[in-house]
Amino acid sequence: MFCLRRCLRLQPRTQVCSVSRQRVHKLASLQKATALSPKKVQSLLYPFSDLEAYLDRSVDRTPFQLFHPSLEDMVKAEKLFCSSPSHKIDYFTSAERLDHVPALKQPEVCFIGRSNVGKSSLIKGLFSLTPEVEVRVSKTPGHTKKMNFFKVGKAFTIVDMPGYGHKAPQDFVDMVEPYLYTRKNLVRTFLLVDGSVGLQKADLIALEMCEEIRRPYVLVVTKIDKCGHGTLLTNLMKLQNVVKTATTSCFPQPFLVSSLNFWGIYLLRCFITHVTGSISLKDTSH
């Protein structure tokens, strides 16, 4: 991997987003990450690299590295997560039923997962360069009761869906399934799984739902900072086996993230801008 400092020096015209209106997390921007050691930068950008040393040689690494964009592409993606007068990023509206969902034309991605899996925290991390965007995060499971829409300029929309499982809204199925089935501008569903506990029964049901809908979706492994390498690898390999043997619409690569430490946030930003057609990437292969 190229050293981030060197990469940015080689791109003198590249301007990384800067935000000064409110306090921004110290790792929200790639530019801030240049103060870290190359090893820590590698962990931030490509979290799977931390696990490779613990994998048996017989394990195929390819499915975990299919999407491997350059640092320049990550910088381009980051710019889209910076609000400006001509590119407004903000909470747009909420909906409790399908007939309340706003009619929007730009590409849309949505995040679903068990209650307390970290959906809102992840979205807050994605929007950390625009801290004025109000993403409500609660320690109480089931806090999100509505579909919350966030517009990223005219580029795309991110939707925070209610959690399933513990304390899920009673009308969760009536609210979420019709949206997933009928939303024409939905380009990707991100199904979140808690990396510290692995796939649960409710997650498998959600995965089956995504398969029945037959629209492209992606697995995001959250809270990778909450457990050791051994536990995370065990849960990750079980998840990967399910993806390999029981799915046809799921992107083969799971995305590992920590909203607390910002591991994987930059990579996920880049993937979102990629699937929404917001930026053109040079090369996503490893």
Side-chain angles (χ1 to χ4, degrees), residues 41-59:
V41 173
Q42 179 82 355
S43 299
L44 280 168
L45 303 187
Y46 311 106
F48 178 73
S49 63
D50 272 359
L51 300 177
E52 282 194 85
Y54 301 91
L55 278 176
D56 188 271
R57 291 182 180 181
S58 62
V59 176

Side-chain angles (χ1 to χ4, degrees), residues 48 55 59-60 64 231-243:
F48 178 73
L55 278 176
V59 176
D60 183 11
F64 299 98
T231 299
L232 179 58
L233 263 178
T234 298
N235 293 334
L236 183 60
M237 297 311 295
K238 288 180 180 178
L239 181 148
Q240 193 65 13
N241 184 59
V242 171
V243 171

Side-chain angles (χ1 to χ4, degrees), residues 15-51:
Q15 295 183 354
V16 181
C17 172
S18 60
V19 183
S20 58
R21 285 165 291 180
Q22 295 188 31
R23 184 172 180 175
V24 177
H25 191 283
K26 62 182 180 180
L27 295 177
S29 171
L30 281 165
Q31 191 173 40
K32 298 293 184 182
T34 60
L36 302 175
S37 67
K39 183 177 180 180
K40 288 185 178 180
V41 173
Q42 179 82 355
S43 299
L44 280 168
L45 303 187
Y46 311 106
F48 178 73
S49 63
D50 272 359
L51 300 177

Side-chain angles (χ1 to χ4, degrees), residues 22 24 26 45 91 94 99 137 145 163 165 170 214 222 278:
Q22 295 188 31
V24 177
K26 62 182 180 180
L45 303 187
Y91 163 78
S94 296
D99 56 355
V137 178
K145 300 293 186 183
Q170 291 184 350
R214 295 184 180 180
T222 64
S278 303

Side-chain angles (χ1 to χ4, degrees), residues 174-286:
D174 294 335
M175 184 191 312
V176 175
E177 277 200 37
Y179 167 85
L180 296 177
Y181 268 105
T182 64
R183 191 67 165 171
K184 293 182 179 180
N185 59 330
L186 178 65
V187 297
R188 203 68 92 236
T189 296
F190 291 86
L191 175 57
L192 276 57
V193 175
D194 187 335
S196 65
V197 299
L199 280 170
Q200 303 294 295
K201 183 177 180 181
D203 298 321
L204 292 171
I205 293 173
L207 192 144
E208 290 177 5
M209 176 184 69
C210 289
E211 282 296 309
E212 290 177 3
I213 295 171
R214 295 184 180 180
R215 302 182 72 168
Y217 67 100
V218 185
L219 289 173
V220 178
V221 181
T222 64
K223 302 185 179 182
I224 62 173
D225 57 291
K226 300 296 184 183
C227 60
H229 288 137
T231 299
L232 179 58
L233 263 178
T234 298
N235 293 334
L236 183 60
M237 297 311 295
K238 288 180 180 178
L239 181 148
Q240 193 65 13
N241 184 59
V242 171
V243 171
K244 183 178 179 179
T245 60
T247 71
T248 57
S249 300
C250 184
F251 187 62
Q253 176 180 336
F255 286 80
L256 280 60
V257 298
S258 166
S259 302
L260 179 65
N261 297 328
F262 272 73
W263 295 333
I265 294 293
Y266 316 101
L267 186 65
L268 191 58
R269 282 177 182 158
C270 199
F271 188 75
I272 291 171
T273 58
H274 171 59
V275 298
T276 57
S278 303
I279 65 170
S280 178
L281 302 183
K282 290 182 179 180
D283 184 11
T284 62
S285 60
H286 184 49

